[in-house]
Amino acid sequence: MTDTTQSSPDFSNDILLKMRDIRIDGYSDEQWHPIIKGVDVTLRRGEIMGLIGESGAGKSTLGKAAMGYTQPGCKLTSGSILFDGVDLAKASDRDKRMLWGTRIAYVAQSAAASFNPAHRLIDQTVEAATRRGIRPDADSRTDAVELYRALQLPDPEIIGNRYPHQVSGGQLQRVMTAMAMSPRPDLIIFDEPTTALDVTTQVEVLASMRNIVEEFNTAAIYITHDLAVVAQMADFIQVLRYGEEVEAAPTRQMLTKPEMPYTKSLWSVRALEKPEVKGEDIVLSIDNIDAAYGPQQVLFDVSIKLPRGRTVAVVGESGSGKSTTARVITGLLPPLGGTVTFNGEVLPAALKDRSKEQLQQIQMIYQMADTAMNPRQTVEEIIGRPLEFYMGLKGKQREERILELLDMIELDESFMDRLPSELSGGQKQRICIARALAARPDIIICDEVTSALDQIVQEGILQLLLRLQKKYDITYLFITHDIATVKAISDEIVVMLEGKVVEQGLKSEILSPPYPDYTKLLLSSVPDMDPDWLTNFLEQRSD
Amino acid sequence: MSEQPVTYSASAEVGAVRKRRSRLERIGLLLKSAPATAWFGMIVVFFYICVAIFADLLAPYGEAEIHAAAFAPWGDEFFFGTDQIGRDVLTRLIYGARNTMGIALATTILSFLIGGGLGLVAAINRRWLDQALSRFVDVLMAIPSLIFALMLLSIFGSTITSLIIIIAVLDSTRVFRLTRAVAVNVAVMDYVEAAKLRGEGLGWIMRREILPNIMPPLVAEFGLRFCFVFLTIAALSFLGVGIQPPTADWGSMVRANASLIQFAKYDMTAAITPLLPAAAIALLTVAVNFIVDWFLHKTSGLRE
Amino acid sequence: MNAVLSTILKRLGMGVATLFIVSAIIFSSISMLPGDFGETVLGQAATKETVTAFRKELGLDKPAPVRYFEWVGSVLQGDLGTSFSGRNASGQDRSRQVSDLVMPRLWNTLFLAGVTAVIAVPLALFLGLTAALYRNTAYDRIVNATTLTTISTPEFFVAYILILFLASLWPVFPSLANIDASTALGERLYRVALPSLTLTLVIVAHMMRMTRAAIINLLASPYIEMARLKGASRSQIILKHALPNAWAPIATVIAFNLAYLVVGVVVVEVVFVYPGIGQLMVDAVTSRDIPVVQACALIFAATYILLNLTADIIGIVTNPRLLHPR
């Protein structure tokens, strides 16, 4: 780390925030247990720090602690939080309130929930500045319009008169940045501000956030789990794991020469790439599918072919119809028109009309392993049920097969009688894979199976899926919005937009020019691990 | 983070740190953490259950046995005195525990069977059946249940069977709503979808996938509904249209002896006599409420 | 505004439909009567002719839908039918119009409920709000335990305790709330003191707990945390950020409890021998005077539906999503 030697003298006013030995405990299961275990943070004026880590690393808790705020159910047990000379760990509520919203501002992840539904956006934007009398209310309102303009919001003069539910998520996130910026704070905490957004929206929001923070020379702590995103924003990066600091270094150094094994492993997942193989034997094809939820049509003339033993990745943003396509294939959503053909025979449209054998051949793995397993069933019951149900295995045979499956997913006997709550995220997803494998399917539909997982775990799961494919000649339909994952696992790619297939072909064809417009936008919007990426992207676009 | 090589082991990955305990250990631990109010509740409920079960052994006289003196004072022969036609109050109290609690319990169970069963079915089959049941329940709930009960009792007459069926059906609307609401939350879970994709039948999905996951709120609701049913039956009996004499029942005991209160200045114990069954009712519902409160707090995690 | 208007109209339509179905249920209850009902009302000695005449008068000889619409028609004109009581086996009819029985008592009940509501609603809102704000303090715990105890207690227990202390041991108020049309307002208030105090205690407990829960739920919203992190003080958070979003839940709480009051009134009227509609209904149930029971049930149900309708409409009118559609 560049500047955190404990003894470094406080040589200037340059240092805005100095957190030392922060320890925070959380209360659950009837006891206090540590969430943050002694972390130091030093931030200079105008500097942007990236705080990255996986879910549960404590990054959000630490970010809020920088304001001297701990959520209900958490408590600061030790440490000092010197903000411009004031120790927020000891300051009274009143003193902290005087700083919050004026000198330290907060931008939350869920903009939709964080705006008060009863007030107009502009009233909420200027609220803090007006309350503390930073400038006359009318001036704040003029200023807010300028901020909206600077953040490239459409119709900056009138958008402030709208209510939160009247604007889109990406816009709301920018209004929240304007709200944070309105009193011209010294420090802004960005708490995963773009996580809930689609990639093409995310890039716009990132660009406008970065511009405005630079323009006013505001210091910021940018919290995220996405390395590529933080690379665009931060001057230096601090990596957190299990409430402890793993490594801290300037962005470029961190990206090129990570030191700790953990940090290195975070980087490696992006390097994974499966060599593509063309497949001729079509195991499943869907042809001219139209589908609707109620009166709203969501799929328009969708046709996709799955070659046996290959992976077809379906990419697209939320609402593009990729999950709906999966629902049509499984029979959960009978289509309005079109057919699903499996091994040469047309499958009945509705789930209830399909035979047990047909159901057995197409298995599914879900995004959230948490909700995909019954929390009241043990691993043995979860994996054992398809064995009983499809193959009628019982007793010893069943147990042997379960052990075999556990072995395939690199887990052992000791997992048999665990409940899902006693497994880690990666282990849960592995059990779900084992449940799918238990049916000995031809096809496994993977619906965003890695996107809820931490990066290091993602890699393990992807490699496992590839190994299984090789060994058992399984076909994957792999739904994802993440281009890195697509590169890692696919042979063929289908790009979807607004319920239509934009493009379909071998990975090498899709990922190289010439691109149709949308594919180009989609691919180019995904941040690289290059700190100059955003700058280049914006330059290219303005050409 | 220290010496973790690049090779990655799935089984070594740290899951949620939770010690496995046997059921007995968990119950022990749970009881240890129970607050005073919950302990109070549990002791009271235990006591009531004992009284109800061993009523025949505990009661000094027969349930409807009539003695010479009406409104006899408290004393050795009649511990809490006698009522308006000379029955021993203590005996009536003890049998009342069995009758009132038994009827309330039977009603609550019946109401859960009806409401819970239909609620589950409605939550899984979200089409016409759900629509029809939900609308029907909306209408039933648009009439205050005590009023509806009074009306139906006036038609079918106040027998114990009609009392149980009427209250159970009316109360099952609330059970239906709750069961449906929590079951709908579970029914949209991926694991239920996974079971459907596997080809499981409705029965399996209800019993194995949904029911175990909605038990905690249902158990809490059972406690609350029991209190409500218990109070409703007590109120109906008090009004004279519930449990009919000579069956001993706390609600009607209050009404029958109520006139004694005006003698408070002359004989305090006499004035307290009608309050005894009322207090017995209140104590039980308070106790159950305390337990449910604690249970809800436990199962909902740290809500506040 | 169109979205608001159409939502309100939809809700009103639903209310009317519910009322119709409820009235149909109440009406059809009479056809569920056992066959020998005429004899029960008229006595064992009733001749076949009188029973037939009685059935005819009830209209039991006509098809049910016809009877229903005739009944609805007369109810809408204020005619609630004729009471069963006062008839006898010989065919003599000294029965009274149901509306004559019900109306004066309805006003008495509304008076009692109104007095109670005026005291209970503000008190409960205040207690609930303060308990939510000072959550987990000693104040909150005491209020919580007290109200939990009160709501678990039958109304008649509260009533008799009050009678014991305030009427019997220290005769401050009368234990019988017998009033009639000629009773002056001051005297009326004095007489209904104990019944309305009983109801107040019960209602306040319910309403306070629900208010507290609603406010705590509201305060857990992310936008409230955001307001804190914007440096708003406690009072600013409550007044500016929580209150505008609180009308709908509070209206629901009030309506629910007023509806509860309507039901609670039955027991309390019986305890204090108050000549209200609740007591009338209980008497009618005991004597199986079906027309009176029907009329009372209809009135109770209508009040109940109306209260819930009002709450929903307040919720609609204060919902920013409907007020300012996209």
Side-chain angles (χ1 to χ4, degrees), chain B residues 139 141-144 146-147 150 154-155 157 238-239 241 254 258 261-262 264-265 275 278 281 285-286 289-290, chain C residues 18 21-22 25 29 135 148 152 154 156-157 160 164 168-169 212 263 270-271 281-282 285 288 293 297 300 304-305:
Chain B
V139 171
M141 286 178 81
I143 311 176
L146 184 69
I147 302 301
L150 280 175
S154 73
I155 290 161
F238 172 82
L239 295 174
V241 294
V254 178
I261 291 185
Q262 51 186 305
K265 276 197 172 160
L275 293 180
I281 295 167
T285 42
V286 170
N289 262 311
F290 276 148
Chain C
T18 313
I21 299 173
V22 165
I25 292 176
S29 62
R135 179 164 28 139
L148 186 62
S152 324
F156 53 80
F157 186 46
Y160 282 126
L164 175 63
S168 191
L169 287 177
R212 176 179 178 275
V263 179
V270 170
V271 173
M281 182 167 183
V282 173
V285 170
R288 302 184 87 176
V293 173
F300 278 120
Y304 205 79
I305 292 169

Side-chain angles (χ1 to χ4, degrees), chain A residues 481-538:
Chain A
H481 67 278
D482 181 32
I483 302 295
T485 312
V486 172
K487 283 181 186 154
I489 195 148
S490 67
D491 297 292
E492 290 190 18
I493 298 178
V494 175
V495 182
M496 290 189 72
L497 170 69
E498 289 167 3
K500 298 188 188 83
V501 173
V502 177
E503 212 183 353
Q504 176 168 10
L506 283 174
K507 174 162 64 176
S508 55
E509 291 163 12
I510 302 284
L511 296 183
S512 57
Y515 305 113
D517 285 349
Y518 178 69
T519 311
K520 185 176 175 187
L521 176 67
L522 191 66
L523 292 176
S524 65
S525 302
V526 180
D528 276 347
M529 297 272 285
D530 167 11
D532 298 322
W533 173 85
L534 184 60
T535 318
N536 295 339
F537 174 81
L538 295 173

Side-chain angles (χ1 to χ4, degrees), chain A residues 120 161-168 171, chain C residues 320 323-326:
Chain A
R120 291 177 195 279
N161 290 328
R162 297 177 155 247
Y163 284 83
H165 65 273
Q166 294 173 317
V167 302
S168 73
Q171 291 171 354
Chain C
L323 283 179
H324 314 282
R326 274 172 186 271

Side-chain angles (χ1 to χ4, degrees), chain C:
Chain C
M1 285 311 278
N2 260 337
V4 177
L5 210 63
S6 69
T7 319
I8 289 181
L9 285 177
K10 236 182 257 166
R11 184 63 188 82
L12 276 176
M14 253 172 62
V16 172
T18 313
L19 198 55
F20 257 93
I21 299 173
V22 165
S23 67
I25 292 176
I26 291 175
F27 169 78
S28 62
S29 62
I30 199 166
S31 43
M32 290 190 275
L33 284 171
D36 61 347
F37 187 76
E39 286 159 30
T40 317
V41 171
L42 301 175
Q44 292 293 328
T47 59
K48 210 166 182 185
E49 289 73 43
T50 29
V51 172
T52 319
F54 176 56
R55 285 182 66 86
K56 187 163 185 156
E57 188 201 322
L58 288 183
L60 286 176
D61 51 340
K62 287 185 225 163
V66 177
R67 276 186 286 137
Y68 172 65
F69 283 106
E70 283 177 7
W71 182 67
V72 168
S74 51
V75 166
L76 288 177
Q77 289 164 20
D79 174 14
L80 292 165
T82 319
S83 164
F84 278 1
S85 65
R87 295 166 198 270
N88 59 28
S90 59
Q92 264 185 334
D93 190 354
R94 269 179 266 118
S95 59
R96 296 172 59 191
Q97 283 292 308
V98 174
S99 50
D100 294 343
L101 284 168
V102 168
M103 280 308 157
R105 285 168 169 259
L106 178 60
W107 291 122
N108 287 344
T109 294
L110 289 180
F111 178 73
L112 175 57
V115 171
T116 308
V118 167
I119 306 167
V121 172
L123 184 65
L125 291 183
F126 174 78
L127 286 176
L129 204 65
T130 46
L133 290 184
Y134 301 101
R135 179 164 28 139
N136 294 334
T137 60
Y139 169 75
D140 181 34
R141 283 201 202 100
I142 291 170
V143 172
N144 239 328
T146 318
T147 51
L148 186 62
T149 313
T150 318
I151 59 170
S152 324
T153 308
E155 289 103 344
F156 53 80
F157 186 46
V158 178
Y160 282 126
I161 295 271
L162 289 177
I163 291 182
L164 175 63
F165 287 103
L166 295 178
S168 191
L169 287 177
W170 295 278
V172 188
F173 295 111
S175 64
L176 293 185
N178 48 343
I179 59 167
D180 56 50
S182 63
T183 316
L185 181 66
E187 181 67 18
R188 259 170 201 261
L189 285 173
Y190 172 67
R191 297 247 169 115
V192 301
L194 283 186
S196 86
L197 189 56
T198 309
L199 284 169
T200 304
L201 284 176
V202 177
I203 292 297
V204 163
H206 270 118
M207 209 185 318
M208 173 266 150
R209 285 176 77 82
M210 290 171 70
T211 311
R212 176 179 178 275
I215 298 290
I216 284 178
N217 190 19
L218 198 68
L219 292 179
S221 321
Y223 60 82
I224 298 292
E225 182 180 58
M226 191 69 203
R228 278 201 72 185
L229 292 176
K230 274 160 77 180
S233 67
R234 189 175 268 250
S235 58
Q236 283 164 333
I237 289 176
I238 299 296
L239 293 176
K240 200 168 165 197
H241 290 277
L243 202 58
N245 296 297
W247 295 121
I250 289 180
T252 312
V253 171
I254 294 178
F256 182 90
N257 285 287
L258 291 184
Y260 184 86
L261 182 65
V262 168
V263 179
V265 112
V266 176
V267 172
V268 171
E269 282 180 4
V270 170
V271 173
F272 293 96
V273 202
Y274 182 79
I277 189 170
Q279 209 201 11
L280 176 70
M281 182 167 183
V282 173
D283 289 346
V285 170
T286 319
S287 62
R288 302 184 87 176
D289 189 349
I290 306 296
V292 176
V293 173
Q294 279 183 332
C296 295
L298 194 63
I299 288 169
F300 278 120
T303 321
Y304 205 79
I305 292 169
L306 200 69
L307 284 167
N308 285 320
L309 185 66
T310 317
D312 284 358
I313 287 177
I314 291 175
I316 292 166
V317 178
T318 57
N319 184 347
R321 278 167 196 277
L322 290 173
L323 283 179
H324 314 282
R326 274 172 186 271

